[in-house]
Amino acid sequence: MAKAKALRLPWCDPPTLLSYANSVGRAVDGVELRIANLDGSSLPNGEVGEALARGVCLMNGYEGLPSNKQSIDADGWLHTGDLGFLDPAGYLHLAGRIRDVIIRGGENISPAEIEAELTSIEGVADAKVMGAPHAIFGESVEACVTTQETEPFDTGRVLEALRARMPRYKVPAHIFPYREFPLNVNGKLDQRALYVSMLGKLRRIEVSEELAGGITVFEITVKNSSYAIGPVTTLVEDLARSIGYEPRRVAKIRLAVEEMLIERIMYAYLGAGDIHVRIALMPEWLRVSFSDNGAEYDVDKRRDTSTSARIILGSVDNFHTERREGRPEYCMDFLYDDNLDVRGFLLRDKQTAEKWEEFNEALKLLP
């Protein structure tokens, strides 16, 4: 019996056969293929761009659709909307859709490439990479994964593996583990639901980072011409109630703010000027601070001579003085109640936005 010969193709070595098997093939006779950059220029073999096709068997366009919205350009190239690359033998390898491309700091990033790397890492069962709005880069790269591990998933290990395999700008900013991805009624990935879920997780991280340095909610100036403190105390009271302080605590917070304003108005001497009030959410407390051009205030020294000072010290959890823009700022801190979740308050985007809009309307009432 004759000895069988190993199959050898003229355009590749046996170790690369799997790569060609994973392609979608070569163009048929009469059809041209090329890979284009976003500006329409052709890309060399191996570089990912939009797959364009041209040939006598392709359509001329969609009937009734304006020329500026057609998928066929002036040179007859059909813009498929598919991302891919051509290998040296002319085989087309797809890498996702253009609408899925993440543009981070001007770099076009294909989610499919990162997803392939993620699923090749031990412990990762499935991966979905998406872009999220970013103030500096335009979009950030974010990854959601399902895990094969029963123990807590080590996202640090996965990120370290990715950094060794791809450019830093392609490495996801965060990796969010899931037990399973949401599915639609057809049993397929519900990408919209996953995206909303991912944005929620990202928002929680952002809120924690923002709170670490304190989030200034409002900055208000009480004019020296009127010293109308009512709108300010009402504003603080409404905010404290909205966050979730118990009614007694809300009353104490309002009283402390009221007495502090009275104290500065009555005892700041001539030249105190306008009183600047700043309200901030800190990780563990609500802070209301005051500053003006009057004589420096020492609440401890006034505790025996001022009723307002005694009320303030009996209402706050911490009173201290900081320096801000060269002048003293008197800070009153009110610890959150045990059952109060300020992060949850900030995450209730719609309700919070509506409430803060009400607060801004209240600000307009200030003289």
Side-chain angles (χ1 to χ4, degrees):
M1 182 180 295
K3 187 176 181 179
K5 294 183 178 180
L7 174 65
R8 184 175 180 81
L9 301 178
W11 39 264
C12 70
D13 294 324
T16 62
L17 285 175
L18 181 60
S19 171
Y20 289 98
N22 288 332
S23 77
V24 295
R26 289 189 287 194
V28 299
D29 291 341
V31 174
E32 301 175 75
L33 284 178
R34 75 179 179 95
I35 304 298
N37 208 341
L38 291 182
D39 61 6
S41 60
S42 294
L43 293 171
N45 291 338
E47 291 198 22
V48 175
E50 184 181 13
L52 273 58
R54 182 170 66 180
V56 294
C57 61
L58 298 180
M59 68 176 183
N60 295 321
Y62 293 99
E63 185 177 0
L65 194 65
S67 58
N68 62 340
K69 294 185 178 181
Q70 291 284 356
S71 300
I72 308 288
D73 63 26
D75 296 321
W77 288 101
L78 171 65
H79 292 247
T80 65
D82 291 317
L83 289 172
F85 66 91
L86 289 170
D87 62 35
Y91 279 70
L92 176 62
H93 302 253
L94 295 181
R97 295 283 294 170
I98 280 185
R99 65 183 180 185
D100 295 330
V101 167
I102 301 168
I103 303 177
R104 179 190 183 275
E107 297 284 354
N108 298 320
I109 301 170
S110 170
E113 176 188 359
I114 305 171
E115 291 165 1
E117 292 291 352
L118 279 167
T119 52
S120 69
I121 297 173
E122 183 180 358
V124 178
D126 197 5
K128 184 64 183 176
V129 174
M130 295 175 282
H134 194 279
I136 298 174
F137 298 115
E139 284 187 291
S140 63
V141 181
E142 308 294 343
C144 301
V145 301
T146 56
T147 173
Q148 300 165 338
E149 300 176 359
T150 55
E151 298 180 0
F153 188 70
D154 187 356
T155 58
R157 172 183 65 84
V158 176
L159 287 171
E160 185 177 351
L162 288 177
R163 292 188 187 106
R165 301 183 184 194
M166 58 177 50
R168 183 61 65 102
Y169 70 88
K170 293 184 179 181
V171 176
H174 305 92
I175 294 180
F176 300 107
Y178 287 77
R179 291 182 62 87
E180 57 185 21
F181 287 154
L183 304 177
N184 58 27
V185 293
N186 296 320
K188 296 182 179 180
L189 172 66
D190 189 336
Q191 185 166 327
R192 184 180 182 280
L194 181 61
Y195 183 70
V196 170
S197 171
M198 180 200 73
L199 289 183
K201 292 176 181 290
L202 194 60
R203 178 61 182 149
R204 286 178 176 84
I205 293 174
E206 291 172 349
V207 164
S208 296
E209 292 172 348
E210 290 170 352
L211 275 176
I215 301 175
T216 298
V217 181
F218 295 108
E219 295 193 70
I220 312 160
T221 298
V222 179
K223 298 293 185 181
N224 63 0
S225 59
S226 63
Y227 290 122
I229 66 176
V232 178
T233 54
T234 299
L235 183 66
V236 174
E237 180 182 20
D238 285 349
L239 177 62
R241 186 181 294 109
S242 296
I243 293 173
Y245 281 100
E246 295 294 330
R248 287 185 181 181
R249 292 275 283 153
V250 172
K252 275 193 167 186
I253 292 170
R254 174 175 180 138
L255 182 61
V257 171
E258 184 177 88
E259 294 298 330
M260 184 64 189
L261 286 169
I262 292 173
E263 183 81 358
R264 293 311 291 163
I265 291 170
M266 292 179 63
Y267 298 106
Y269 311 112
L270 296 176
D274 299 341
I275 301 175
H276 186 77
V277 184
R278 187 166 67 96
I279 307 169
L281 299 177
M282 308 299 288
E284 298 177 357
W285 58 80
L286 169 67
R287 171 171 292 174
V288 185
S289 56
F290 309 80
S291 60
D292 54 52
N293 294 321
E296 193 153 341
Y297 180 63
D298 190 328
V299 69
D300 287 315
K301 288 182 178 179
R302 292 195 56 80
R303 71 166 64 231
D304 296 328
T305 59
S306 168
T307 301
S308 290
R310 290 196 295 272
I311 292 174
I312 291 168
L313 290 172
S315 302
V316 303
D317 294 297
N318 178 45
F319 185 101
H320 66 284
T321 302
E322 295 184 354
R323 292 283 168 177
R324 185 178 174 87
E325 297 179 356
R327 60 182 180 177
E329 182 177 55
Y330 312 110
C331 303
M332 299 195 306
D333 295 337
F334 305 92
L335 290 172
Y336 299 130
D337 295 337
D338 290 340
N339 62 345
L340 191 153
D341 178 17
V342 70
R343 289 174 177 80
F345 168 74
L346 290 170
L347 287 166
R348 294 195 296 270
D349 289 335
K350 187 174 185 297
Q351 295 177 18
T352 301
E354 290 175 351
K355 178 54 66 176
W356 286 4
E357 187 176 341
E358 292 176 18
F359 292 156
N360 279 312
E361 289 299 317
L363 286 180
K364 296 176 183 178
L365 302 177
L366 293 177

